[in-house]
Amino acid sequence: MEELKDDILKKFLAGELSEEESVEIYDWMNEEEENARQLFRMEEIYHLGKFDQYTNKQRIERAERKLLEKIHQKEDAKKQKPKFRQWMRYAAVIAVIILSGSGIGYWFHSASINRNLVTQTVTDGTVIEVILPDGSKVWLNNGTTLSYPNEFSGKERIVSLEGEAYFEVVKNTQKPFIVETEAMKISVLGTTFNLKSHTNQYVAEATLVEGEIEVRGNNDEGMIVLSPGQRAELNKKNRRLTVKQVDAKLDGVWRNDLIPFEQANIFTITQTLERFYDVKIILSPDIPTDITYSGVLRKKNTVTSVLESLQHSIPIQYKIVGNNIFISPASK
């Protein structure tokens, strides 16, 4: 076994080897001591790119030169000439992996080169609003990091997200707006949507409120164009990209604590309360279903406070027993 196949190398660096491929890597490393040293160098270059969020080509080239200088210092140049060419081929493969937008190296993109980046991080349990250079608005939920350039001067408006954010994107048909995350990439011209993609969660979600967005998986899971009221869910374990019909506005309630309803009957309202307050609501068989409610309820600390507000519009009474809430028509 003289050389390591490029596809095996890519899978090794991405941590996606099968058992059979792992054996192949192990055998290659044990053939010669130099093979093990080369693999170590490849990992070093790869992780230099992967963990520096917005690395650039110059830094990768410096890292390659530094490692190659070590080779020359330790080994005879004449003997190492064939391996030097092989090493340069591997270095090129690593650079492609780091610089690609395939999900392995999504932190880098060409629009970020030679441009100052702004990073906003929320860790104190609050929600903050960010105004982007083009006037687009982004609300960041707790535990979220958003990175974007000082100026959208390229052909695309590219930002990176880790966590959950609600976007209101200013329309610009000449300059698409792109959100890159660890799991998926969202492309829009101008629209409103909620995006949730945490690296420590195995499902990433994009929910469209208004307009149209294109959702694409970073690892060939496919592409979906969403219509308002649809949510794309990408399962990072089984790599399935699916679409669900949802009440899209409810996915963004966290940004302002306002729960919107439009001609909602008691069933829709109680299902929503169950979702936000983790309770079980049991409706009396004679509860009126023809009465609807349109408006906005403020999400409060307790479900009791919300039910008290709701009583002003819908004639109901309730009883709370543990985690269960019994709702019946109000007494006349």
Side-chain angles (χ1 to χ4, degrees), residues 266-285:
I266 191 65
F267 295 108
T268 300
I269 294 171
T270 54
Q271 286 174 358
T272 302
L273 297 182
E274 286 181 330
R275 169 181 174 178
F276 286 117
Y277 293 95
D278 194 25
V279 294
K280 176 64 178 176
I281 298 180
I282 298 94
L283 297 175
S284 169

Side-chain angles (χ1 to χ4, degrees), residues 214-280:
E214 176 188 290
V215 181
R216 187 181 299 273
N218 288 339
N219 294 289
D220 299 324
E221 293 93 346
M223 185 275 286
I224 293 174
V225 176
L226 295 184
S227 298
Q230 291 183 328
R231 179 196 297 148
E233 296 184 357
L234 192 153
N235 188 310
K236 291 182 278 188
K237 288 187 175 180
N238 60 26
R239 294 190 174 181
R240 290 187 60 193
L241 183 61
T242 56
V243 176
K244 292 183 178 180
Q245 201 71 31
V246 297
D247 190 340
K249 291 182 179 180
L250 296 182
D251 276 17
V253 168
W254 56 265
R255 73 187 174 100
N256 54 15
D257 286 338
L258 298 178
I259 307 174
F261 291 106
E262 185 174 348
Q263 295 185 336
N265 60 24
I266 191 65
F267 295 108
T268 300
I269 294 171
T270 54
Q271 286 174 358
T272 302
L273 297 182
E274 286 181 330
R275 169 181 174 178
F276 286 117
Y277 293 95
D278 194 25
V279 294
K280 176 64 178 176

Side-chain angles (χ1 to χ4, degrees), residues 106-118:
Y106 81 97
W107 289 112
F108 173 82
H109 51 71
S110 59
S112 69
I113 297 177
N114 298 323
R115 184 175 304 166
N116 292 326
L117 289 164
V118 178

Side-chain angles (χ1 to χ4, degrees), residues 52-147:
D52 183 0
Q53 283 191 344
Y54 284 97
T55 187
N56 55 48
K57 291 181 179 178
Q58 288 78 16
R59 177 162 184 178
I60 293 173
E61 288 170 356
R62 286 198 301 269
E64 290 177 357
R65 287 197 300 269
K66 182 179 177 181
L67 293 175
L68 290 172
E69 286 171 3
K70 291 181 181 179
I71 296 176
H72 285 300
Q73 290 171 0
K74 293 183 179 180
E75 302 177 23
D76 182 82
K78 185 176 180 180
K79 292 181 179 179
Q80 289 301 315
K81 189 173 181 180
K83 290 186 178 180
F84 178 81
R85 292 199 187 100
Q86 181 182 339
W87 165 242
M88 286 302 293
R89 179 178 66 81
Y90 287 143
V93 172
I94 296 169
V96 170
I97 294 173
I98 294 172
L99 299 177
S100 69
S102 63
I104 300 170
Y106 81 97
W107 289 112
F108 173 82
H109 51 71
S110 59
S112 69
I113 297 177
N114 298 323
R115 184 175 304 166
N116 292 326
L117 289 164
V118 178
T119 299
Q120 299 276 1
T121 301
V122 184
T123 58
D124 57 358
T126 62
V127 172
I128 68 169
E129 180 183 351
V130 177
I131 307 296
L132 298 181
D134 64 340
S136 296
K137 297 180 181 180
V138 187
W139 286 263
L140 305 182
N141 204 349
N142 184 49
T144 297
T145 296
L146 176 74
S147 295

